[in-house]
Amino acid sequence: MVFEVNFDTLAATDVTLHFLRDGEKVGSIYNDHGTQKTMARLTVPGDNDFIGVEVPKSFVAAVLDTAAETDRLADATDADGYRLRVL
């Protein structure tokens, strides 16, 4: 399966990454059961449905790296904190 999320900003909290497009959340990556299972949640604007899939931590690290390289991180310090806690 292939899922695509278009975003212009990646915002990090201590254990969640939020994908934002034009200021609206379009998806997130979070940890379920502590840090045992990393999940991606894709949302559809205006709809209550979502798709949740397990994603490998290597994928999450690549997303963070790319967001940093393309200047899409809301706050680099928050992203560093996320890396320490989750990855």
Side-chain angles (χ1 to χ4, degrees):
M1 283 193 236
V2 175
F3 297 98
E4 181 176 322
V5 176
N6 292 312
F7 66 97
D8 51 41
T9 305
L10 185 65
T13 65
D14 54 346
V15 293
T16 306
L17 295 177
H18 298 279
F19 296 95
L20 305 170
R21 184 177 55 235
D22 297 327
E24 285 197 42
K25 189 168 106 173
V26 293
S28 60
I29 293 179
Y30 62 96
N31 287 85
D32 197 12
H33 307 296
T35 58
Q36 297 299 315
K37 191 173 176 186
T38 305
M39 300 290 294
R41 178 181 174 136
L42 310 175
T43 58
V44 179
D47 203 349
N48 290 329
D49 292 334
F50 69 92
I51 299 168
V53 294
E54 188 171 357
V55 294
K57 290 184 181 185
S58 59
F59 170 78
V60 179
V63 168
L64 272 170
D65 291 344
T66 302
E69 291 168 5
T70 58
D71 198 32
R72 292 180 184 219
L73 288 178
D75 185 313
T77 302
D78 291 343
D80 290 341
Y82 176 88
R83 278 185 196 278
L84 289 173
R85 288 179 194 86
V86 178
L87 302 177

